[in-house]
Amino acid sequence: MNFYLKGKTSNIFLLIASFVIVSLILWNTNSFFKKFKEEERLKMEIWATAQLELLQSSIEDDPGNLTIKVLQNNTSTPMILVNKDGSTKTNNMPGELASDSLYIQNRIVRFRDENTPISIDQQGEHLATLYYGNSEVLTKLKYYPIALLLIIFLFGAVIYFFFKTSKASEQNKLWAGMAKETAHQIATPLSSLLGWNELLKTEKISPEITKEIEKDISRLETITERFSKIGSLPKLDEYDIVEETRDAYDYLRHRSSKLIHFSFNSKIESLSVQLNRPLYNWTIENLVKNGIDAMKGKGSISIEIIPDGKYVNILVTDTGHGISKSDFQSIFNPGVTSKKRGWGLGLSLVKRIVEEYHKGKIKVLSSSKEGTIMQISLKINP
């Protein structure tokens, strides 16, 4: 518990620290933008002063190198100079649009919104008005905070999904721990049952009874082994897929209602596949039981094994009410179930066993009101 609280506290601290850092970057960027804009304003005022010097000088007078240099050096700020007679002069703007009066008027309105125009006066006489826009660098810098806010949003989304994944991981560890503890708890009475069954064999009891008890004890041992493997990577060994599938099929057939008709068909006599026996049997058991539930305890269940190139397909068919096509993928998600009871973990475990542990595939091959076909595909040993 202390470890969990420490981890949660560190995550909150990390989130706050990240928010503070990003806020400082935004504040610093905004300050830099304002300072840069002030410097650009000062540069334009100097340009306007040089322009005044040029307007005051006559054709014969030399305006001076400094004036010419100031006027020529500004190559980044777009500007429009409107003289007192209404004539205009553009600088750092597309040459082909300089003669378009409508374009010039639209730009004047835009520049007036971006920056306060500079009036060029001499001894109370108005000579011209300078309208200027933001330079390319300033324009890019203007949109930088927006880009940064998008980064913050993405950063927040990453943190959210990280926390969500961490929480799911903690829950998975908890369930895995509970499963292992359940397996440990089952082992004690299971050992006792083995002893009682051996004692029953010495009594005058039908051997068929003790044989069936042995089968159920063996089944409990298998279930215990399944639970003990949850949360750890299971070991795969070479097994005959036909024999293992038939064993799981026979066990369920003998312990299911007589109203269920079972059939088993294999296109091959034997085929070697890398399997974890307890988990594979669990997969077949889940698919068959889901089929029985879909048929409400009455109908037909068939299992068919068909080799297909490098894979072998195991088809489990029922005559239940079927699955909506829109639910073909979602039924494998944890918590999804159509039953009033249950946690909706069966098919989720089946998918994990087949795809993550055995590197195979599972899908709903087809489904209608007449029934559903589930297909498991496993790689054949080379």
Side-chain angles (χ1 to χ4, degrees):
M1 181 62 72
N2 290 335
F3 177 78
Y4 174 77
L5 290 175
K6 287 180 180 178
K8 189 174 182 181
T9 303
S10 63
N11 288 337
I12 294 173
F13 176 77
L14 178 63
L15 181 62
I16 294 173
S18 303
F19 178 78
V20 170
I21 291 171
V22 172
S23 299
L24 288 173
I25 293 173
L26 278 174
W27 176 80
N28 188 60
T29 303
N30 186 56
S31 299
F32 180 72
F33 178 80
K34 289 181 178 179
K35 185 176 180 180
F36 195 86
K37 196 172 180 68
E38 289 172 359
E39 290 181 355
E40 190 155 291
R41 175 76 180 185
L42 180 60
K43 184 171 66 173
M44 293 310 302
E45 288 176 350
I46 294 172
W47 192 93
T49 302
Q51 184 66 33
L52 177 62
E53 292 291 333
L54 184 64
L55 290 174
Q56 286 181 331
S57 63
S58 62
I59 298 175
E60 293 81 9
D61 294 336
D62 183 8
N65 291 333
L66 180 60
T67 300
I68 298 298
K69 193 169 185 179
V70 169
L71 293 174
Q72 291 180 342
N73 275 359
N74 193 325
T75 58
S76 60
T77 307
M79 62 186 80
I80 300 173
L81 183 69
V82 181
N83 296 311
K84 63 180 180 179
D85 59 0
S87 62
T88 59
K89 178 184 177 183
T90 63
N91 193 21
N92 301 325
M93 293 178 64
E96 64 273 10
L97 296 173
S99 58
D100 189 339
S101 59
L102 182 60
Y103 174 79
I104 294 299
Q105 290 302 318
N106 289 334
R107 284 288 143 173
I108 288 174
V109 173
R110 177 177 172 180
F111 290 169
R112 187 190 295 121
D113 292 336
E114 289 181 355
N115 300 288
T116 304
I118 299 174
S119 180
I120 302 176
D121 302 320
Q122 175 65 26
Q123 296 179 354
E125 181 185 359
H126 177 71
L127 300 179
T129 303
L130 177 64
Y131 298 91
Y132 69 98
N134 294 329
S135 64
E136 186 178 354
V137 175
L138 196 60
T139 301
K140 290 181 179 179
L141 191 62
K142 180 181 178 181
Y143 292 107
Y144 178 74
I146 298 175
L148 196 58
L149 285 173
L150 289 175
I151 293 172
I152 294 170
F153 174 77
L154 293 174
F155 183 69
V158 169
I159 291 177
Y160 169 75
F161 286 114
F162 172 75
F163 285 166
K164 189 175 181 180
T165 304
S166 298
K167 186 176 180 181
S169 178
E170 288 172 1
Q171 290 177 342
N172 288 337
K173 289 179 181 178
L174 177 61
W175 287 117
M178 289 178 65
K180 291 179 181 293
E181 180 61 21
T182 301
H184 178 70
Q185 294 294 334
I186 291 175
T188 302
L190 191 58
S191 300
S192 179
L193 285 174
L194 285 168
W196 283 109
N197 192 51
E198 292 299 321
L199 184 61
L200 287 175
K201 288 180 182 179
T202 62
E203 303 293 331
K204 294 180 180 180
I205 296 176
S206 172
E208 291 296 324
I209 295 176
T210 56
K211 187 175 180 181
E212 288 302 314
I213 291 175
E214 282 182 350
K215 287 182 180 180
D216 286 332
I217 290 174
S218 176
R219 188 64 174 178
L220 284 172
E221 287 176 336
T222 300
I223 293 171
T224 303
E225 188 177 357
R226 289 174 185 170
F227 277 97
S228 67
K229 291 182 181 297
I230 291 178
S232 57
L233 191 64
K235 181 183 177 183
L236 303 182
D237 294 308
E238 190 172 319
Y239 289 103
D240 181 2
I241 189 69
V242 179
E243 182 181 349
E244 294 303 322
T245 307
R246 185 183 284 112
D247 287 347
Y249 160 84
D250 286 339
Y251 181 85
L252 294 168
R253 179 170 60 87
H254 288 123
R255 282 158 179 76
S256 298
S257 168
K258 300 299 181 183
L259 298 176
I260 305 294
H261 176 262
F262 283 85
S263 63
F264 181 88
N265 180 40
S266 177
K267 301 295 183 182
I268 47 174
E269 292 186 3
S270 64
L271 187 63
S272 180
V273 175
Q274 290 291 321
L275 288 177
N276 180 275
R277 179 189 286 173
L279 294 183
Y280 176 73
N281 289 342
W282 197 358
T283 298
I284 298 299
E285 180 182 324
N286 268 302
L287 293 179
V288 170
K289 285 185 175 180
N290 275 355
I292 293 173
D293 289 337
M295 298 185 300
K296 301 187 184 302
K298 184 179 180 180
S300 299
I301 290 283
S302 67
I303 298 179
E304 190 173 8
I305 300 176
I306 305 172
D308 182 17
K310 295 181 179 180
Y311 287 85
V312 58
N313 296 328
I314 301 94
L315 308 182
V316 179
T317 307
D318 64 65
T319 55
H321 52 72
I323 304 169
S324 172
K325 192 170 183 179
S326 60
D327 295 331
F328 278 14
Q329 295 297 326
S330 63
I331 60 170
F332 295 104
N333 296 333
V336 176
T337 179
S338 59
K339 294 180 284 187
K340 293 182 179 179
R341 294 185 177 182
W343 291 356
L345 297 177
L347 288 178
S348 175
L349 285 170
V350 165
K351 183 178 178 68
R352 185 169 184 176
I353 290 169
V354 172
E355 296 188 354
E356 292 188 23
Y357 294 160
H358 290 84
K359 306 303 178 186
K361 300 175 184 176
I362 183 168
K363 65 179 180 179
V364 181
L365 189 62
S366 66
S367 188
S368 65
K369 292 182 179 179
E370 285 71 40
T372 300
I373 303 176
M374 303 292 290
Q375 176 179 289
I376 299 173
S377 300
L378 299 174
K379 287 183 179 180
I380 301 172
N381 286 346

